[in-house]
Amino acid sequence: MSVETQKETLGFQTEVKQLLHLMIHSLYSNKEIFLRELISNASDAVDKLRFEALAKPELLEGGAELKIRVSFDKDAKTVTLEDNGIGMSREDAVTHLGTIAKSGTADFMKHLSGDQKKDSHLIGQFGVGFYSAFIVADKVDVFSRRAGLAASEGVHWSSKGEGEFEIATVEKADRGTRIVLHLKSAEDEFADGWRLRNIIKKYSDHIALPIELPKEVAAVEGEDKPAIEWETVNRASALWTRPRTEVKDEEYQEFYKHVAHDFENPLSWSHNKVEGKLEYTSLLYVPTRAPFDLYQREAPKGLKLYVQRVFVMDQAESFLPLYLRFIKGVVDSNDLSLNVSREILQKDPIIDSMKSALTKRVLDMLEKLAKNESEQYKGFWKNFGQVMKEGPAEDFANKEKIAGLLRFASTQGDDGEQVVGLADYLARAKEGQDKIYYLTGETYAQVKNSPHLEVFRKKGIEVLLLTDRIDEWLMSYLNDFDGKSFVDVARGDLDLGNLDSEEDKKAAEEVAKSKEGLVERLKTALGDSVAEVRVSHRLTDSPAILAIGEQDLGLQMRQILEASGQKVPDSKPIFEFNPAHPLIEKLDNEQSDERFGDLSHILFDQAALAAGDSLKDPAAYVRRLNKLLVELSV
Ligand code: ADP
Ligand code: MG
């Protein structure tokens, strides 16, 4: 044992403590994954070394063959992993093995309920990683040295996984990392060659570099213990370079967990080799669950980039648009140069054409999923629907394709679940219907009962109900789908086109004519509050409604802009009334101008409330209503 200097004891970041606790208590039924996680890290470390050595060959320090070795000691109850990758400096070890760098982690941890069953699902969104060592070990020693540092600048990190770790500077002759797991007494089954070999075959066969175990060589009596012979136990070739037909689903799944640092299986994947003008292989995955930091601006996104099988960078963001940032995977190019940088990637025209091809691959994969696995697609939509809705604004070229993947709630369902696709909607449209009708609003309960839907209910026409915050913004980018234009049913002068018969139209015109007097009186009474007053064709039960002007901002957009402190152009609604409603008839017969005024303002305010808007002068509304109530009771 070499001398240790500068020894200190440090506390784990609070989030690490929480994660450790959660992990140890929720993953005991899946203990063996610790090995997968540690091998995954060793493989990443070797990738990083290989890449850095392109510019600085001296980092290879004589160029030993890159590999991972797993050994064990039955008597000491230890399992040891050793890699000759990039290694860690003392500071690296303190940050990487003592904190979690992901932004939003603390917030995420607040969601923990203390109920281990529920929380164990959350850990899936989080990934497990290095700390999984403590599922099986009650003490972990890490010896490491960053490639390029002197042998005297090795680091020894040690912890019992309880709240703190020790760190010291030590001598380490070889670069890379050695991790010694001191197994809990109940977990000594892992100090076994057969067991380790099986776990490696099961989870880590796809790792592209050799994973070696000591060969079992029987000792011959009277002779010295034979030198250890090592034997490679995994396939040790890059999975994406193999033909699709030869890769099993389980292999694709395990590879996903390694590249995505995820804990769960992916929902779907697409593996393709492109030859011709450009040559590259891609393996793209749709995760099953959204990571907790999907909406964090700085959250990691992008693909793992390889150039001719050599790892070049993590999180290469230039290969997919932002609305597909949840896609994980690998792209391996034969055309790019090994010293490509992020800046070059942003400008390179090769990347542009790869990006559009890869985008199309993802959209095709999602189309296929929607078509063949509708239950799974529902799950996908719940997790990633909000992000997909950013698509039409960002990706003009694929607008129609993205629109086809969107899912909405509609008047056909009764629980507000977003399950209706535009193709389904059109397939069951009424005869003569050449529009896609929708209504946006704050909550499902509010839009579901909106008076704007009355005429559609009466005629049995389906209306899409849009209540996500970004829906109105989304709809401003969607003009049509499959040649049919979108119509906001709360906007403008509702024209039902062929859905209204000639008689309907004629009758409506006659009614409008007969109510001209009332229209004028209402205009005078409501004055500045309205842009226009007119007879409505959209109401059957409610007395009145407010429609939004054709060019005006809707309520949702107005609220978003206001919340962000922007000045919102003033716009006035159109007041439409239902001539057949008894209240309107009463109004029409009202002789007193004062009472006419009160009643029309009440109708106006009620219509605003029904649309989910707030009243400009709520006290005036209450005063007028109470006045009427008093008169009523005498
Ligand atoms: P992740 O792999 O998702 O980054 P982990 O918890 O598995 O998270 O690992 C944390 C970090 O510790 C890694 O990102 C890496 O910086 C460092 N690390 C872990 N194992 C090794 C290793 N064998 N060699 C070098 N660095 C390592
Ligand atoms: Mg890891």
Side-chain angles (χ1 to χ4, degrees), residues 37-38 40-42 44-45 48 83 86-88 96-97 128-131 144 177 179 261:
E37 295 299 324
L38 298 180
S40 173
N41 287 348
D44 287 346
K48 282 180 202 152
D83 69 64
I86 193 72
M88 283 177 273
H96 299 323
L97 309 182
V128 277
F130 170 78
Y131 301 107
S144 193
T177 304
I179 300 181
H261 300 233

Side-chain angles (χ1 to χ4, degrees), residues 355-369:
K355 180 177 177 178
S356 53
L358 292 170
T359 302
K360 205 160 160 299
R361 288 250 181 259
V362 174
L363 297 177
D364 285 346
M365 163 163 60
L366 293 174
E367 264 172 12
K368 220 155 114 195
L369 192 70

Side-chain angles (χ1 to χ4, degrees), residues 113-312:
S113 61
D115 176 341
Q116 278 157 18
K117 261 225 185 78
K118 277 193 214 140
D119 291 349
S120 67
H121 283 293
L122 287 175
I123 213 169
Q125 287 174 53
F126 197 81
V128 277
F130 170 78
Y131 301 107
S132 64
F134 290 101
I135 306 172
V136 297
D138 49 21
K139 182 175 176 226
V140 176
D141 280 309
V142 179
F143 301 89
S144 193
R145 173 165 67 79
R146 182 102 173 48
L149 291 181
S152 58
E153 292 189 65
V155 59
H156 175 198
W157 178 104
S158 178
S159 175
K160 294 188 167 147
E162 278 162 355
E164 51 188 36
F165 59 90
E166 283 177 2
I167 191 119
T169 298
V170 291
E171 178 92 12
K172 189 173 184 294
D174 306 314
R175 66 146 199 274
T177 304
R178 183 169 75 250
I179 300 181
V180 184
L181 307 176
H182 302 269
L183 299 172
K184 296 176 182 170
S185 53
E187 313 297 351
D188 58 355
E189 55 169 293
F190 291 107
D192 179 273
W194 184 82
R195 185 87 165 93
L196 291 170
R197 173 185 298 255
N198 278 318
I199 301 175
I200 294 169
K201 283 301 279 179
K202 183 167 166 194
Y203 297 108
S204 308
D205 198 43
H206 61 79
I207 294 290
L209 70 159
I211 305 169
E212 298 182 347
L213 274 178
K215 209 168 184 168
E216 309 272 348
V217 189
V220 179
E221 217 167 316
E223 282 181 23
D224 285 346
K225 223 172 147 193
I228 298 178
E229 280 180 54
W230 294 91
E231 161 179 46
T232 301
V233 293
N234 65 326
R235 189 190 282 264
S237 72
L239 177 131
W240 64 90
T241 59
R242 292 160 53 195
R244 217 165 20 198
T245 47
E246 284 172 23
V247 185
K248 292 204 251 6
D249 284 0
E250 295 76 34
E251 295 180 278
Y252 277 123
Q253 288 164 343
E254 286 311 324
F255 182 70
Y256 163 77
K257 292 174 192 165
H258 167 60
V259 285
H261 300 233
D262 196 353
F263 177 66
E264 286 180 77
N265 281 332
L267 193 61
S268 181
W269 57 86
S270 169
H271 181 190
N272 297 92
K273 200 176 171 136
V274 174
E275 276 162 337
K277 224 168 82 204
L278 289 179
E279 282 184 19
Y280 62 91
T281 301
S282 62
L283 174 49
L284 307 173
Y285 289 95
V286 183
T288 296
R289 211 183 279 269
F292 74 92
D293 53 3
L294 186 60
Y295 293 98
Q296 302 273 344
R297 208 183 266 272
E298 325 81 277
K301 49 185 161 286
L303 303 175
K304 225 172 155 147
L305 175 64
Y306 288 77
V307 170
Q308 296 175 35
R309 255 119 359 259
V310 178
F311 168 78
V312 170

Side-chain angles (χ1 to χ4, degrees), residues 415-479:
D415 52 5
E417 234 199 312
Q418 297 182 5
V419 291
V420 179
L422 295 174
D424 310 329
Y425 177 94
L426 288 177
R428 56 183 182 230
K430 284 263 164 224
E431 207 173 299
Q433 181 182 345
D434 59 355
K435 301 273 191 291
I436 301 171
Y437 295 103
Y438 71 93
L439 176 64
T440 59
E442 195 82 340
T443 62
Y444 175 68
Q446 177 221 314
V447 289
K448 187 180 70 169
N449 298 317
S450 165
H452 284 289
L453 296 176
E454 288 174 9
V455 66
F456 292 92
R457 263 213 195 96
K458 187 172 121 197
K459 291 184 184 280
I461 302 167
E462 182 171 7
V463 178
L464 302 174
L465 303 176
L466 278 53
T467 53
D468 283 337
R469 255 181 81 80
I470 64 167
D471 280 340
E472 207 178 293
W473 172 82
L474 161 71
M475 295 316 286
S476 69
Y477 287 92
L478 288 178
N479 307 320

